[in-house]
Amino acid sequence: MPLSALESALQAWLREQLPLAADVGDISFDSPDASWGTSLTRPTVNLFLFDIARAAQQSVPMPPRRDQGGLLVQERPAPCVAFSYLLSTWGGGVREEHRLLGDAVRAVLRTPTLNPGPENHELVGPVLLSMSETNDVRARELWQGLGGRLRAGLVLVAMTAVPLGRATPLATPVETVLVEVTPTDRASTRTAEKPAENPVTAEGPVMAENPVIAEGPVIVEGSVLENDAPRRYVWFGPRQPRRRGRP
């Protein structure tokens, strides 16, 4: 589940944006109920997750990948989900709390897109950050639900794609393609009137003597594969004739 990866990315982002080093203050995801703030001894930024909703954005296509067994698999598109956090600041007095809250507001406004690092591999794309509109959330109702007094804060909305984790195998890769030339009653073979150009291989030119040109259907055997986009491989079923000049 990318929720833990999302909160790790948010924590690292806040550490970078705010003057709140690990030896100075804390970042918490606890529920800030009536008794929670009384035990704090250091400046703290609290992110309380209170709502999870399906976002209006389109699902994100997932690229094919190899599973642990090396099989090529494909997942369904990942739906976009909006995680809403009540962000508040605690400790150090009102002036220190408001200063830290103002820095958080500025950080959200100047970071519309959060690109997680490679350590957060569960996040399949960038995280979109925004502040909720005034009429979207009533802070008074949130604080009343938590059993505490009304405090200054903001609602941070983090939207990210959530992989479904259900991969289906794709067709196995094409390893060999066999092409046969088979004479028929209506087809005949003839000897070329003049030698064809000698093909060149890694070992050098190959001399061709009396090359045979087939007239008639060409039988192609292969298998199905649609590999990494946009490359596509075409399927020919077992021993299906194809006219000369066509693949």
Side-chain angles (χ1 to χ4, degrees), residues 210-239:
N210 298 328
V212 176
I213 301 175
E215 295 179 350
V218 175
I219 297 177
V220 178
E221 293 183 354
S223 57
V224 179
L225 175 69
E226 181 174 340
N227 209 348
D228 299 342
R231 180 177 297 175
R232 294 177 180 268
Y233 292 86
V234 183
W235 173 69
F236 297 111
R239 306 185 67 83

mmCIF file of all heavy atoms in Angstrom, residues 210-239:
data_model
loop_
_atom_site.group_PDB
_atom_site.id
_atom_site.type_symbol
_atom_site.label_atom_id
_atom_site.label_comp_id
_atom_site.label_asym_id
_atom_site.label_seq_id
_atom_site.Cartn_x
_atom_site.Cartn_y
_atom_site.Cartn_z
ATOM 1 N N ASN A 210 23.504 -21.343 -57.942
ATOM 2 C CA ASN A 210 22.181 -21.742 -58.400
ATOM 3 C C ASN A 210 21.099 -21.489 -57.343
ATOM 4 O O ASN A 210 20.482 -22.407 -56.816
ATOM 5 C CB ASN A 210 22.169 -23.227 -58.771
ATOM 6 C CG ASN A 210 23.122 -23.522 -59.915
ATOM 7 O OD1 ASN A 210 23.325 -22.660 -60.778
ATOM 8 N ND2 ASN A 210 23.698 -24.709 -59.926
ATOM 9 N N PRO A 211 20.922 -20.262 -56.937
ATOM 10 C CA PRO A 211 19.891 -19.990 -55.925
ATOM 11 C C PRO A 211 18.518 -20.355 -56.456
ATOM 12 O O PRO A 211 18.218 -20.178 -57.633
ATOM 13 C CB PRO A 211 20.022 -18.480 -55.692
ATOM 14 C CG PRO A 211 20.625 -17.949 -56.943
ATOM 15 C CD PRO A 211 21.540 -19.016 -57.444
ATOM 16 N N VAL A 212 17.667 -20.838 -55.566
ATOM 17 C CA VAL A 212 16.324 -21.266 -55.924
ATOM 18 C C VAL A 212 15.332 -20.230 -55.429
ATOM 19 O O VAL A 212 15.377 -19.826 -54.274
ATOM 20 C CB VAL A 212 16.006 -22.644 -55.315
ATOM 21 C CG1 VAL A 212 14.559 -23.033 -55.623
ATOM 22 C CG2 VAL A 212 16.966 -23.686 -55.884
ATOM 23 N N ILE A 213 14.483 -19.804 -56.303
ATOM 24 C CA ILE A 213 13.440 -18.834 -55.956
ATOM 25 C C ILE A 213 12.111 -19.562 -55.984
ATOM 26 O O ILE A 213 11.771 -20.202 -56.978
ATOM 27 C CB ILE A 213 13.428 -17.651 -56.929
ATOM 28 C CG1 ILE A 213 14.798 -16.941 -56.903
ATOM 29 C CG2 ILE A 213 12.311 -16.681 -56.595
ATOM 30 C CD1 ILE A 213 14.920 -15.843 -57.912
ATOM 31 N N ALA A 214 11.372 -19.465 -54.895
ATOM 32 C CA ALA A 214 10.109 -20.194 -54.803
ATOM 33 C C ALA A 214 8.977 -19.312 -55.260
ATOM 34 O O ALA A 214 8.927 -18.133 -54.945
ATOM 35 C CB ALA A 214 9.882 -20.653 -53.367
ATOM 36 N N GLU A 215 8.081 -19.904 -56.012
ATOM 37 C CA GLU A 215 6.847 -19.236 -56.397
ATOM 38 C C GLU A 215 5.690 -19.983 -55.744
ATOM 39 O O GLU A 215 5.509 -21.174 -55.980
ATOM 40 C CB GLU A 215 6.684 -19.230 -57.918
ATOM 41 C CG GLU A 215 7.736 -18.410 -58.638
ATOM 42 C CD GLU A 215 7.531 -18.454 -60.134
ATOM 43 O OE1 GLU A 215 6.696 -19.260 -60.578
ATOM 44 O OE2 GLU A 215 8.194 -17.692 -60.841
ATOM 45 N N GLY A 216 4.939 -19.324 -54.940
ATOM 46 C CA GLY A 216 3.853 -19.988 -54.229
ATOM 47 C C GLY A 216 3.753 -19.458 -52.816
ATOM 48 O O GLY A 216 4.446 -18.507 -52.438
ATOM 49 N N PRO A 217 2.909 -20.090 -52.036
ATOM 50 C CA PRO A 217 2.711 -19.597 -50.668
ATOM 51 C C PRO A 217 3.923 -19.862 -49.793
ATOM 52 O O PRO A 217 4.634 -20.840 -49.981
ATOM 53 C CB PRO A 217 1.498 -20.386 -50.191
ATOM 54 C CG PRO A 217 1.522 -21.633 -51.007
ATOM 55 C CD PRO A 217 2.047 -21.231 -52.352
ATOM 56 N N VAL A 218 4.138 -18.975 -48.836
ATOM 57 C CA VAL A 218 5.206 -19.136 -47.855
ATOM 58 C C VAL A 218 4.561 -19.450 -46.517
ATOM 59 O O VAL A 218 3.649 -18.740 -46.088
ATOM 60 C CB VAL A 218 6.059 -17.849 -47.740
ATOM 61 C CG1 VAL A 218 7.092 -17.993 -46.633
ATOM 62 C CG2 VAL A 218 6.730 -17.556 -49.068
ATOM 63 N N ILE A 219 4.990 -20.508 -45.875
ATOM 64 C CA ILE A 219 4.420 -20.917 -44.594
ATOM 65 C C ILE A 219 5.281 -20.339 -43.479
ATOM 66 O O ILE A 219 6.495 -20.515 -43.456
ATOM 67 C CB ILE A 219 4.349 -22.443 -44.496
ATOM 68 C CG1 ILE A 219 3.418 -22.994 -45.586
ATOM 69 C CG2 ILE A 219 3.871 -22.878 -43.114
ATOM 70 C CD1 ILE A 219 3.349 -24.492 -45.619
ATOM 71 N N VAL A 220 4.628 -19.618 -42.559
ATOM 72 C CA VAL A 220 5.329 -18.965 -41.463
ATOM 73 C C VAL A 220 4.771 -19.492 -40.164
ATOM 74 O O VAL A 220 3.554 -19.568 -39.986
ATOM 75 C CB VAL A 220 5.175 -17.429 -41.530
ATOM 76 C CG1 VAL A 220 5.882 -16.779 -40.358
ATOM 77 C CG2 VAL A 220 5.717 -16.909 -42.854
ATOM 78 N N GLU A 221 5.628 -19.885 -39.245
ATOM 79 C CA GLU A 221 5.203 -20.318 -37.925
ATOM 80 C C GLU A 221 5.815 -19.373 -36.894
ATOM 81 O O GLU A 221 6.980 -19.039 -36.960
ATOM 82 C CB GLU A 221 5.654 -21.754 -37.654
ATOM 83 C CG GLU A 221 4.951 -22.781 -38.551
ATOM 84 C CD GLU A 221 5.369 -24.195 -38.215
ATOM 85 O OE1 GLU A 221 6.281 -24.340 -37.382
ATOM 86 O OE2 GLU A 221 4.783 -25.129 -38.767
ATOM 87 N N GLY A 222 5.011 -18.968 -35.939
ATOM 88 C CA GLY A 222 5.509 -18.064 -34.916
ATOM 89 C C GLY A 222 4.608 -18.097 -33.704
ATOM 90 O O GLY A 222 3.940 -19.085 -33.444
ATOM 91 N N SER A 223 4.575 -17.029 -32.957
ATOM 92 C CA SER A 223 3.724 -16.950 -31.775
ATOM 93 C C SER A 223 3.358 -15.510 -31.513
ATOM 94 O O SER A 223 3.824 -14.604 -32.184
ATOM 95 C CB SER A 223 4.444 -17.550 -30.556
ATOM 96 O OG SER A 223 5.663 -16.881 -30.349
ATOM 97 N N VAL A 224 2.491 -15.315 -30.506
ATOM 98 C CA VAL A 224 1.945 -13.994 -30.220
ATOM 99 C C VAL A 224 2.851 -13.253 -29.256
ATOM 100 O O VAL A 224 3.356 -13.832 -28.311
ATOM 101 C CB VAL A 224 0.551 -14.128 -29.590
ATOM 102 C CG1 VAL A 224 -0.022 -12.763 -29.260
ATOM 103 C CG2 VAL A 224 -0.371 -14.834 -30.544
ATOM 104 N N LEU A 225 3.024 -11.971 -29.471
ATOM 105 C CA LEU A 225 3.667 -11.113 -28.485
ATOM 106 C C LEU A 225 3.391 -9.664 -28.798
ATOM 107 O O LEU A 225 3.520 -9.237 -29.933
ATOM 108 C CB LEU A 225 5.188 -11.325 -28.450
ATOM 109 C CG LEU A 225 5.928 -10.358 -27.507
ATOM 110 C CD1 LEU A 225 5.591 -10.682 -26.077
ATOM 111 C CD2 LEU A 225 7.407 -10.419 -27.713
ATOM 112 N N GLU A 226 2.957 -8.918 -27.803
ATOM 113 C CA GLU A 226 2.961 -7.458 -27.883
ATOM 114 C C GLU A 226 3.908 -7.010 -26.792
ATOM 115 O O GLU A 226 3.570 -6.992 -25.614
ATOM 116 C CB GLU A 226 1.569 -6.884 -27.674
ATOM 117 C CG GLU A 226 1.554 -5.368 -27.791
ATOM 118 C CD GLU A 226 0.150 -4.806 -27.725
ATOM 119 O OE1 GLU A 226 -0.792 -5.560 -27.960
ATOM 120 O OE2 GLU A 226 0.023 -3.611 -27.428
ATOM 121 N N ASN A 227 5.121 -6.688 -27.171
ATOM 122 C CA ASN A 227 6.154 -6.407 -26.199
ATOM 123 C C ASN A 227 6.052 -4.956 -25.740
ATOM 124 O O ASN A 227 5.059 -4.296 -25.975
ATOM 125 C CB ASN A 227 7.517 -6.703 -26.818
ATOM 126 C CG ASN A 227 8.542 -7.108 -25.783
ATOM 127 O OD1 ASN A 227 8.313 -6.959 -24.602
ATOM 128 N ND2 ASN A 227 9.654 -7.631 -26.235
ATOM 129 N N ASP A 228 7.123 -4.459 -25.089
ATOM 130 C CA ASP A 228 7.116 -3.099 -24.569
ATOM 131 C C ASP A 228 6.717 -2.107 -25.653
ATOM 132 O O ASP A 228 7.311 -2.085 -26.728
ATOM 133 C CB ASP A 228 8.490 -2.735 -24.024
ATOM 134 C CG ASP A 228 8.889 -3.648 -22.875
ATOM 135 O OD1 ASP A 228 7.990 -4.285 -22.308
ATOM 136 O OD2 ASP A 228 10.077 -3.688 -22.559
ATOM 137 N N ALA A 229 5.686 -1.307 -25.364
ATOM 138 C CA ALA A 229 5.213 -0.320 -26.337
ATOM 139 C C ALA A 229 6.346 0.628 -26.709
ATOM 140 O O ALA A 229 7.192 0.947 -25.892
ATOM 141 C CB ALA A 229 4.041 0.438 -25.750
ATOM 142 N N PRO A 230 6.362 1.122 -27.962
ATOM 143 C CA PRO A 230 5.383 0.881 -29.029
ATOM 144 C C PRO A 230 5.738 -0.305 -29.928
ATOM 145 O O PRO A 230 5.148 -0.488 -30.962
ATOM 146 C CB PRO A 230 5.434 2.181 -29.829
ATOM 147 C CG PRO A 230 6.874 2.587 -29.724
ATOM 148 C CD PRO A 230 7.333 2.153 -28.353
ATOM 149 N N ARG A 231 6.736 -1.122 -29.578
ATOM 150 C CA ARG A 231 7.135 -2.236 -30.429
ATOM 151 C C ARG A 231 6.070 -3.321 -30.378
ATOM 152 O O ARG A 231 5.607 -3.694 -29.321
ATOM 153 C CB ARG A 231 8.470 -2.784 -29.953
ATOM 154 C CG ARG A 231 8.972 -3.954 -30.790
ATOM 155 C CD ARG A 231 10.321 -4.400 -30.318
ATOM 156 N NE ARG A 231 11.313 -3.343 -30.496
ATOM 157 C CZ ARG A 231 12.548 -3.435 -30.083
ATOM 158 N NH1 ARG A 231 12.954 -4.515 -29.470
ATOM 159 N NH2 ARG A 231 13.384 -2.430 -30.267
ATOM 160 N N ARG A 232 5.702 -3.838 -31.533
ATOM 161 C CA ARG A 232 4.685 -4.872 -31.620
ATOM 162 C C ARG A 232 5.204 -6.028 -32.474
ATOM 163 O O ARG A 232 5.857 -5.820 -33.482
ATOM 164 C CB ARG A 232 3.387 -4.343 -32.232
ATOM 165 C CG ARG A 232 2.686 -3.301 -31.364
ATOM 166 C CD ARG A 232 1.454 -2.764 -32.069
ATOM 167 N NE ARG A 232 0.774 -1.778 -31.272
ATOM 168 C CZ ARG A 232 -0.199 -2.068 -30.430
ATOM 169 N NH1 ARG A 232 -0.610 -3.307 -30.305
ATOM 170 N NH2 ARG A 232 -0.782 -1.126 -29.729
ATOM 171 N N TYR A 233 4.890 -7.221 -32.052
ATOM 172 C CA TYR A 233 5.195 -8.414 -32.821
ATOM 173 C C TYR A 233 3.876 -9.027 -33.278
ATOM 174 O O TYR A 233 2.921 -9.105 -32.516
ATOM 175 C CB TYR A 233 5.968 -9.428 -31.974
ATOM 176 C CG TYR A 233 7.355 -8.964 -31.624
ATOM 177 C CD1 TYR A 233 7.563 -8.162 -30.506
ATOM 178 C CD2 TYR A 233 8.445 -9.297 -32.409
ATOM 179 C CE1 TYR A 233 8.828 -7.717 -30.172
ATOM 180 C CE2 TYR A 233 9.710 -8.861 -32.088
ATOM 181 C CZ TYR A 233 9.898 -8.076 -30.976
ATOM 182 O OH TYR A 233 11.144 -7.639 -30.647
ATOM 183 N N VAL A 234 3.850 -9.477 -34.520
ATOM 184 C CA VAL A 234 2.627 -9.998 -35.120
ATOM 185 C C VAL A 234 2.611 -11.500 -34.985
ATOM 186 O O VAL A 234 3.651 -12.152 -35.045
ATOM 187 C CB VAL A 234 2.528 -9.592 -36.605
ATOM 188 C CG1 VAL A 234 1.223 -10.071 -37.221
ATOM 189 C CG2 VAL A 234 2.641 -8.085 -36.734
ATOM 190 N N TRP A 235 1.444 -12.083 -34.820
ATOM 191 C CA TRP A 235 1.291 -13.514 -34.670
ATOM 192 C C TRP A 235 0.904 -14.163 -35.977
ATOM 193 O O TRP A 235 0.007 -13.728 -36.675
ATOM 194 C CB TRP A 235 0.229 -13.813 -33.616
ATOM 195 C CG TRP A 235 -0.105 -15.270 -33.525
ATOM 196 C CD1 TRP A 235 0.678 -16.263 -33.059
ATOM 197 C CD2 TRP A 235 -1.342 -15.880 -33.915
ATOM 198 N NE1 TRP A 235 0.038 -17.453 -33.113
ATOM 199 C CE2 TRP A 235 -1.216 -17.253 -33.638
ATOM 200 C CE3 TRP A 235 -2.529 -15.407 -34.458
ATOM 201 C CZ2 TRP A 235 -2.238 -18.154 -33.901
ATOM 202 C CZ3 TRP A 235 -3.542 -16.307 -34.704
ATOM 203 C CH2 TRP A 235 -3.390 -17.656 -34.438
ATOM 204 N N PHE A 236 1.591 -15.257 -36.318
ATOM 205 C CA PHE A 236 1.179 -16.151 -37.381
ATOM 206 C C PHE A 236 0.931 -17.505 -36.753
ATOM 207 O O PHE A 236 1.800 -18.059 -36.094
ATOM 208 C CB PHE A 236 2.267 -16.276 -38.462
ATOM 209 C CG PHE A 236 2.554 -14.982 -39.163
ATOM 210 C CD1 PHE A 236 3.754 -14.333 -38.991
ATOM 211 C CD2 PHE A 236 1.599 -14.404 -39.977
ATOM 212 C CE1 PHE A 236 4.022 -13.133 -39.629
ATOM 213 C CE2 PHE A 236 1.859 -13.212 -40.625
ATOM 214 C CZ PHE A 236 3.064 -12.575 -40.453
ATOM 215 N N GLY A 237 -0.241 -18.041 -36.945
ATOM 216 C CA GLY A 237 -0.575 -19.333 -36.372
ATOM 217 C C GLY A 237 0.197 -20.447 -37.045
ATOM 218 O O GLY A 237 0.888 -20.242 -38.039
ATOM 219 N N PRO A 238 0.092 -21.661 -36.509
ATOM 220 C CA PRO A 238 0.862 -22.783 -37.059
ATOM 221 C C PRO A 238 0.508 -23.047 -38.523
ATOM 222 O O PRO A 238 -0.653 -23.266 -38.860
ATOM 223 C CB PRO A 238 0.456 -23.955 -36.164
ATOM 224 C CG PRO A 238 -0.136 -23.332 -34.960
ATOM 225 C CD PRO A 238 -0.704 -22.029 -35.387
ATOM 226 N N ARG A 239 1.528 -22.956 -39.355
ATOM 227 C CA ARG A 239 1.441 -23.376 -40.754
ATOM 228 C C ARG A 239 0.284 -22.698 -41.479
ATOM 229 O O ARG A 239 -0.556 -23.326 -42.116
ATOM 230 C CB ARG A 239 1.320 -24.896 -40.849
ATOM 231 C CG ARG A 239 2.421 -25.637 -40.110
ATOM 232 C CD ARG A 239 2.332 -27.128 -40.344
ATOM 233 N NE ARG A 239 2.627 -27.434 -41.738
ATOM 234 C CZ ARG A 239 3.862 -27.561 -42.244
ATOM 235 N NH1 ARG A 239 4.917 -27.389 -41.461
ATOM 236 N NH2 ARG A 239 4.059 -27.842 -43.508
#
